[in-house]
Amino acid sequence: MNPMASIAETSLKGKDLLTLADWKADEINQILKYALQLKKENQPKQLLAGKTLGMIFEKSSTRTRVSFEVGMLQLGGHALHLSSRDIQMGRGESIADTAKVLSRYLDAIMIRTFNHEIVEELALHADIPVINGLTDDYHPCQVLADLMTILEYKSSFAGKKLAYIGDGNNIAHSLMIGSAKVGLDCTIVTPENYEPKAEIVSKAQEIAKASGAKILVTTDLEKGIQNADIVYTDVWASMGWEDEANERLKAFKEYQVNSKTLSVAKSDYIFMHCLPAHRGEEVTGEIIDGTHSVVFDEAENRLHVQKALLASVL
């Protein structure tokens, strides 16, 4: 038996992933190590034979959908796609009843939705692990893949600085919390009025006291990117904010990641983006398609992290 698999099963079996704030630093690091091991081995394993993951999608997806479904298949299990049109939760059945019914059929639930309270209520009433595939406030699975990618390229988190430029959205929130947990310095750079939620900033800074990480929020682009080892951006108008796209284009126009803004980052910086990307808006094609970009390794790592997570909680 794979020793990492037995360790993960012992300590994480049955655990929900709603936000990274709920997980201990050693649990996060364990998932990252397991994911790196699975990627290196690159072989299907029948760890989850006979297990079924239900995937509830109220928001569309490419990477989340494919990585979870392929991950379950490679682990010997099955994934069931459930859109809001397919289940009664989208037509008035209570979240509590949905959670109780699905717990009788499935071994785990992954949900990608809008309000974070939906995920919390689903987990409260489910008897099986619930994984947050994305909410308006958090995207923990993406940030696990981000942390894995940083480990691959930078070997450790200690003494490294991540600069995130863009909207104070779910990615910014989860990057702050994930960084705080593992001891990675994280600076969030946003235009005025687009900062991350104050209560989540405070939570991340409190968590960081244990790891020694520095969690900062600024509107000063040059200061934020100064000496960064990792530079990260996201679209300026996330799903649900498309009606503000024109307004946001004006507000964010000075916050584009390009060769000029990156001139103050470390010479060996890596560029990250959770995708999909809008070239010419938040980042230039020169940067996202350039030699410093690791965005497709980052996207691939969604698969390996999801496999490690599923094998561990199941």
Side-chain angles (χ1 to χ4, degrees):
M1 176 181 281
N2 182 329
M4 281 300 297
S6 62
I7 292 170
E9 182 181 0
T10 301
S11 60
L12 297 175
K13 186 174 181 180
K15 191 174 180 70
D16 297 325
L17 176 59
L18 308 186
T19 86
L20 292 175
D22 304 326
W23 283 45
K24 298 175 183 176
D26 61 350
E27 293 172 333
I28 293 170
N29 282 314
Q30 182 173 296
I31 291 292
L32 300 179
K33 289 176 184 176
Y34 193 13
L36 287 164
Q37 179 181 318
L38 289 172
K39 182 176 183 178
K40 184 178 180 181
E41 292 172 354
N42 193 29
Q43 293 179 346
K45 294 175 179 289
Q46 297 297 305
L47 296 173
L48 299 182
K51 303 284 188 182
T52 302
L53 171 72
M55 305 186 300
I56 300 173
F57 285 93
E58 293 188 314
K59 281 190 174 187
S60 59
S61 167
T62 299
R63 282 147 291 276
T64 300
R65 164 79 188 270
V66 177
S67 59
F68 270 105
E69 192 159 339
V70 172
M72 280 298 289
L73 178 66
Q74 291 184 359
L75 293 171
H78 178 71
L80 187 64
H81 180 271
L82 302 167
S83 75
S84 56
R85 298 184 301 275
D86 297 327
I87 58 176
Q88 297 298 326
M89 193 171 84
R91 292 192 290 273
E93 183 167 17
S94 73
I95 296 169
D97 286 356
T98 301
K100 291 171 184 175
V101 170
L102 292 181
S103 294
R104 303 293 181 101
Y105 300 143
L106 303 170
D107 298 287
I109 299 168
M110 186 282 296
I111 179 168
R112 184 177 170 96
T113 187
F114 293 88
N115 293 329
H116 190 70
E117 291 75 17
I118 293 172
V119 178
E120 292 177 327
E121 187 173 354
L122 193 70
L124 178 65
H125 295 285
D127 297 325
I128 55 178
V130 172
I131 297 169
N132 175 6
L134 174 142
T135 64
D136 288 342
D137 284 341
Y138 299 102
H139 200 352
C141 292
Q142 176 64 53
V143 169
L144 284 174
D146 297 337
L147 294 174
M148 175 185 173
T149 307
I150 293 167
L151 271 185
E152 281 186 305
Y153 278 89
K154 298 298 179 183
S155 301
S156 72
F157 301 121
K160 302 297 189 296
K161 175 183 175 179
L162 183 155
Y164 169 90
I165 298 92
D167 189 22
N169 59 13
N170 49 12
I171 291 291
H173 292 160
S174 289
L175 281 172
M176 286 190 296
I177 291 174
S179 297
K181 287 283 185 177
V182 301
L184 173 66
D185 291 344
C186 178
T187 298
I188 304 295
V189 187
T190 71
E192 193 173 347
N193 300 321
Y194 291 94
E195 296 90 346
K197 289 185 176 180
E199 64 270 24
I200 298 178
V201 176
S202 295
K203 182 190 295 185
Q205 289 174 336
E206 185 63 31
I207 292 168
K209 291 177 182 178
S211 68
K214 298 182 183 71
I215 308 297
L216 303 172
V217 177
T218 182
T219 58
D220 187 327
L221 182 59
E222 183 173 345
K223 177 183 176 183
I225 297 183
Q226 188 82 41
N227 293 322
D229 300 277
I230 307 105
V231 178
Y232 195 126
T233 193
D234 190 10
V235 294
W236 291 339
S238 299
M239 280 183 287
W241 298 102
E242 291 87 353
D243 58 335
E244 295 184 6
N246 290 334
E247 179 184 338
R248 284 168 173 262
L249 279 173
K250 295 175 185 176
F252 284 86
K253 66 180 181 179
E254 301 300 326
Y255 288 80
Q256 184 186 73
V257 177
N258 53 45
S259 57
K260 180 181 177 182
T261 57
L262 286 166
S263 63
V264 295
K266 287 188 178 174
S267 59
D268 63 345
Y269 77 89
I270 58 172
F271 172 76
M272 302 180 70
H273 193 306
C274 53
L275 302 180
H278 295 164
R279 287 167 175 79
E281 292 184 14
E282 72 272 8
V283 63
T284 60
E286 174 191 11
I287 298 304
I288 194 169
D289 299 316
T291 56
H292 291 270
S293 177
V294 299
V295 298
F296 297 111
D297 289 333
E298 179 186 4
E300 178 190 340
N301 286 342
R302 290 292 303 276
L303 172 64
H304 306 299
V305 156
Q306 255 81 281
K307 288 169 66 176
L309 178 62
L310 290 165
S312 299
V313 301
L314 289 175

